[in-house]
Amino acid sequence: APATHCLQRRTIRRAISEPVQALAAAARDVTKRQDYGRRVPAPRNDEIGQLARDFNSMLAAIEERELALRRSEELARRKRIEIETIYATAEIGLCVVDRDCRYVRINKRLAEMSGRTVDAIVGRTIGEILPDIAPTVAAICRKIFDTGEPVINVEVQVRAPSSQVPHCWMIN
């Protein structure tokens, strides 16, 4: 009986414990190295083999998502560079404001037209920077945010703090 018991334990260890431990070790290794291209052998046609095949399927799905994420990140990086280049080289003033009419992004040209630096403007509201036009611009922003429709060629008279002469700005 003791020999039979020992043989049963060895059989169970080979049939269940060792494959499950190997799968757990593979899972730890995949997590540590983030190597989602790794696969585990799945030669058996029992529950352990199915577990290994399911593990491999899960890794394939993660690998696919990781690839899609890398592609998306690369596209976002290229678009960010494109927008930064446009902002840096445009001969016109450009900005992005949030729903509170707070400057999120502004190019150097518009900052100069406003009589301030980019750093002095970002994070502040239009009312803080150009109080004379803030009500008009706030109404335009609300319309854009509420409807999702663009506003085209709205003229606004602006007197920048650095100039006594009013200028006509076109808001689009």
Side-chain angles (χ1 to χ4, degrees):
T4 306
H5 181 65
C6 186
L7 182 61
Q8 288 174 337
R9 281 186 26 206
R10 190 176 328 137
T11 302
I12 289 173
R13 186 174 58 238
R14 279 191 193 142
I16 298 173
S17 297
E18 289 174 3
V20 169
Q21 287 174 353
L23 190 57
R28 284 190 301 274
D29 189 52
V30 165
T31 301
K32 180 179 178 183
R33 297 178 189 206
Q34 294 186 352
D35 177 12
Y36 304 112
R38 179 177 178 177
R39 299 298 181 265
V40 295
R44 295 167 47 165
N45 288 324
D46 59 3
E47 292 85 356
I48 300 294
Q50 186 60 51
L51 182 60
R53 286 187 293 281
D54 290 345
F55 181 76
N56 288 337
S57 293
M58 180 186 68
L59 288 177
I62 293 170
E63 184 178 32
E64 213 173 282
R65 283 190 215 123
E66 285 288 313
L67 180 60
L69 178 61
R70 281 195 299 276
R71 286 181 185 144
S72 178
E73 287 171 341
E74 176 58 24
L75 178 62
R77 186 189 68 77
R78 286 195 317 264
K79 288 188 178 291
R80 181 183 44 83
I81 290 169
E82 182 180 326
I83 289 169
E84 288 173 356
T85 300
I86 291 168
Y87 266 70
T89 60
E91 293 296 321
I92 61 171
L94 300 170
C95 72
V96 174
V97 296
D98 64 15
R99 289 186 173 273
D100 297 322
C101 291
R102 190 171 302 281
Y103 290 96
V104 175
R105 176 186 281 268
I106 184 169
N107 71 343
K108 186 177 178 183
R109 178 70 182 122
L110 185 56
E112 290 168 352
M113 292 165 56
S114 302
R116 309 251 169 102
T117 65
V118 170
D119 289 338
I121 295 174
V122 171
R124 298 186 63 196
T125 66
I126 292 171
E128 292 171 306
I129 304 301
L130 298 168
D132 295 346
I133 66 165
T136 302
V137 175
I140 291 168
C141 290
R142 273 193 304 278
K143 181 179 178 185
I144 293 168
F145 285 126
D146 290 347
T147 67
E149 296 295 321
V151 172
I152 300 172
N153 296 332
V154 175
E155 283 189 34
V156 178
Q157 290 289 324
V158 178
R159 186 179 307 237
S162 62
S163 171
Q164 296 303 329
V165 180
H167 296 86
C168 181
W169 287 4
M170 295 296 280
I171 297 178
N172 289 287

